[in-house]
Amino acid sequence: MKSNKLLFLIEVSIFTALALLLDILPISFKIWAQGGSVSFAMIPVFIVAFRWGLKGGLVSGFLWGMLQIATGNAYILTPLQGFIDYTLAFTVIGFAGLFARQVQEAVRDGRTKVYLTYITAGVLLGSVLRFLAHTVAGAVFFGSAAIEGQSVWVYSIIYNSSYMFPSFVLSAVIVFFLFHKQPRALLNLASN
């Protein structure tokens, strides 16, 4: 039991650090100067979520958001905006872990289409929840950047979807590819 807890802590730590590293390395595709880029950074959180479930995903996402603040990579206007854009938005990526059991069962049974479907659903759920958090923060705190006469909500939806949709597609494809090539890597030791 202690070895599973230790493995959980080690994997969450390593994959969270990898998410931060992928976020700050110049390998992302910057969409907007004010923030928002298409990057590989959500992938490690999704890996943790599918290996360890909801708890692992939420912890990894939360820690990634906190690391962005701690390393000075966060753009915070107010405490509430910082909470929504970093604490909430990155934590909810971990809700992909709701599909961990179904993904792991499909991998064990060799049902590729089933685990592709659940991986896509999990990545979509985590991405949509992050998108919603950023959209709310964008409309409430950055609405002044909208074109005159444009709804702040329309502005925020367009702004955030411009990088979140490609990030969702990129994450879904890469996570599926990684687990399709090495499906046993998806199964944590506790489930073997």
Side-chain angles (χ1 to χ4, degrees):
M1 189 66 161
K2 283 187 177 184
S3 64
N4 282 340
K5 287 182 181 179
L6 181 60
L7 181 61
F8 172 83
L9 292 173
I10 290 170
E11 284 192 21
V12 166
S13 300
I14 289 171
F15 281 103
T16 302
L18 181 59
L20 180 67
L21 185 63
L22 290 170
D23 200 29
I24 61 178
L25 285 177
I27 57 173
S28 61
F29 311 101
K30 294 283 184 202
I31 302 293
W32 303 105
Q34 305 89 340
S37 60
V38 179
S39 78
F40 302 96
M42 289 193 299
I43 294 168
V45 177
F46 289 129
I47 291 171
V48 170
F50 291 129
R51 282 183 50 83
W52 292 99
L54 185 61
K55 180 181 177 183
L58 293 174
V59 169
S60 183
F62 171 79
L63 291 174
W64 177 28
M66 294 300 95
L67 283 173
Q68 288 183 341
I69 294 169
T71 59
N73 290 315
Y75 182 74
I76 299 176
L77 295 174
T78 70
L80 182 58
Q81 175 267 326
F83 172 79
I84 296 169
D85 263 341
Y86 295 94
T87 306
L88 181 63
F90 291 97
T91 300
V92 297
I93 296 168
F95 274 102
L98 289 172
F99 296 97
R101 183 180 50 78
Q102 294 92 333
V103 170
Q104 291 182 14
E105 286 173 2
V107 166
R108 275 192 213 94
D109 298 341
R111 296 178 295 149
T112 304
K113 289 181 182 176
V114 173
Y115 72 78
L116 168 61
T117 301
Y118 281 114
I119 285 172
T120 304
V123 172
L124 179 63
L125 177 62
S127 298
V128 166
L129 292 174
R130 178 181 170 195
F131 165 76
L132 291 174
H134 287 315
T135 298
V136 168
V140 173
F141 297 101
F142 299 100
S144 62
I147 299 169
E148 190 173 328
Q150 181 183 41
S151 162
V152 295
W153 291 100
V154 169
Y155 160 76
S156 188
I157 289 168
I158 292 170
Y159 182 96
N160 288 293
S161 64
S162 70
Y163 67 90
M164 283 303 305
F165 180 73
S167 292
F168 153 69
V169 171
L170 180 69
S171 295
V173 168
I174 291 177
V175 170
F176 174 73
F177 178 76
L178 290 172
F179 289 139
H180 184 66
K181 290 298 180 186
Q182 285 296 325
R184 301 292 297 166
L186 184 58
L187 307 174
N188 64 50
L189 294 179
S191 65
N192 288 336

